[in-house]
Amino acid sequence: MELVIQPLRYREAAQFWGADDPRLAAMLHAVAGGTPAYRREFVRDDVPKSLRDFDPWVRRAVLSSHMPLFREARYLLAEEADIRDTALYHSVLAAIAEGNSTRGRIANYIGRRSTDISHPLTVLEDAGLVRREPDAFRSGRVTYRITEPLITFYQAVMRPAWHRLELGQASAVWADSRARFGSQVVGPHFETLCRQHALLYGADVFGSTPGAVAAGVAVDPVNRSRLDLDVVVFAPAVPGEPQRIIALGEAKWGERLGELHLARLRRARDVLAVRGYDVRETVLALYGGGGFERRLQFATDNVRLVDLDRLYSS
């Protein structure tokens, strides 16, 4: 029998770790994900007591060479039987962790041809370490994302300073990596959590049951620009009718969202209307890990503000 155990969803993971503070819960999930073992055996039951204890916890439980979690990300790759050239696979994962999410950008990052990384990407997909996500609006275009948060954390924070970490310099490495953790680890992970929130709880937030949720790029031909959309919520498809978009969303972890962000979503809605999508009742959703400008509180009914509290409670 093959029994597949899925990781805990992000809300259940917060409860499992005892993280009542939603900001702490999101940061913890960006490191350890929803794997139950990482809560107990791999950190020896050491959990951050508060948000202020998060940085000390990373130094003592994740970046310490004496802790089991320290080498776990390396073992996840090493134990895959189909992986021979581990350096190549680590390079592919590092490229994705640094935001190179398309096949071409991954290949450019590691200095290979696009055809050279087809097999490694397929192996990583089959191993469940990487997933392909289709673009919401561009047929045939996919992005690659790492499925295990600990691997992203390892590639962004630990691997570049592995020798220093083995020498016991966890405090210095973390001080040097803290900004990179925000931009390359928890920031993109927050966008993933927002898409999961829209898929799992979208009916309560938007008033309609989602059929699919994805990220996508809407090309603005008038302004000759691209509008990156972190959360696109589609209604279930109805044959013979235009695809209805329930919500368009933007997610920012460390930035206050304001009128400029809302204006971008309005422009994206207009662009998609011209392309034939049904956006007559589309909700504009702003997901803010860093809060919102006060004037957004008076936005119209088709605007939703989703902060960390709402992400974890409604």
Side-chain angles (χ1 to χ4, degrees):
M1 181 180 68
E2 181 179 356
L3 181 62
V4 179
I5 307 296
Q6 297 293 339
L8 297 174
R9 293 175 176 175
Y10 74 92
R11 286 188 178 178
E12 287 73 19
Q15 296 174 358
F16 190 68
W17 281 79
D20 298 327
D21 185 319
R23 178 168 291 274
L24 173 61
M27 294 168 70
L28 268 173
H29 201 271
V31 177
T35 302
Y38 296 165
R39 159 65 177 80
R40 301 197 184 280
E41 293 90 344
F42 283 78
V43 295
R44 298 172 184 167
D45 282 323
D46 183 1
V47 299
K49 303 174 181 63
S50 64
L51 186 59
R52 293 182 61 183
D53 190 38
F54 176 77
D55 284 7
W57 175 81
V58 169
R59 293 192 293 265
R60 69 178 183 259
V62 186
L63 301 183
S64 170
S65 59
H66 302 295
M67 297 296 284
L69 196 61
F70 179 72
R71 290 181 172 82
E72 174 64 8
R74 295 167 71 97
Y75 292 154
L76 288 174
L77 197 63
E79 66 187 12
E80 294 297 331
D82 293 333
I83 293 179
R84 300 288 189 268
D85 185 357
T86 57
L88 173 60
Y89 285 83
H90 275 296
S91 296
V92 171
L93 291 170
I96 300 173
E98 292 201 15
N100 301 285
S101 56
T102 64
R103 185 188 297 265
R105 292 181 62 184
I106 295 170
N108 288 336
Y109 179 89
I110 64 177
R112 299 286 188 102
R113 295 176 300 177
S114 182
T115 53
D116 294 339
I117 63 170
S118 295
H119 180 68
L121 285 171
T122 299
V123 171
L124 290 171
E125 284 184 71
D126 292 343
L129 300 179
V130 165
R131 66 174 176 269
R132 288 196 302 171
E133 296 183 354
D135 187 280
F137 305 114
R138 292 187 286 180
S139 177
R141 186 182 188 275
V142 298
T143 57
Y144 293 88
R145 303 188 193 279
I146 298 172
T147 58
E148 175 55 64
L150 184 62
I151 292 180
T152 301
F153 181 85
Y154 167 78
Q155 295 291 346
V157 175
M158 300 177 69
R159 186 169 178 246
W162 187 254
H163 180 63
R164 295 172 62 196
L165 289 172
E166 288 188 314
L167 293 176
Q169 299 179 8
S171 295
V173 169
W174 184 239
D176 294 341
S177 307
R178 194 60 173 81
R180 189 161 63 252
F181 170 73
S183 61
Q184 294 184 16
V185 181
V186 71
H189 189 72
F190 178 64
E191 296 174 9
T192 298
L193 293 184
C194 293
R195 286 189 288 272
Q196 292 179 9
H197 179 269
L199 183 62
L200 296 171
Y201 312 107
D204 296 330
V205 178
F206 309 123
S208 298
T209 301
V213 176
V217 177
V219 178
D220 184 350
V222 175
N223 297 316
R224 296 183 179 180
S225 62
R226 48 179 283 161
L227 301 166
D228 294 290
L229 298 164
D230 303 316
V231 184
V232 181
V233 185
F234 292 104
V238 178
E241 296 185 7
Q243 180 71 68
R244 184 165 68 92
I245 299 178
I246 295 175
L248 298 172
E250 180 158 359
K252 297 294 183 185
W253 170 255
E255 180 180 340
R256 284 179 70 86
L257 296 176
E259 288 288 346
L260 288 177
H261 301 93
L262 187 56
R264 288 183 70 256
L265 291 181
R266 289 192 176 113
R267 179 58 189 160
R269 182 180 57 191
D270 294 342
V271 168
L272 293 170
V274 174
R275 291 183 55 181
Y277 290 93
D278 183 352
V279 296
R280 290 172 296 175
E281 298 180 357
T282 297
V283 173
L284 305 181
L286 293 172
Y287 297 84
F292 308 96
E293 293 179 0
R294 185 176 180 182
R295 69 184 69 182
L296 290 184
Q297 304 295 334
F298 305 100
T300 58
D301 290 340
N302 70 333
V303 175
R304 300 289 187 277
L305 305 181
V306 181
D307 58 12
L308 285 168
D309 288 331
R310 192 168 190 183
L311 196 73
Y312 274 88
S313 64
S314 63

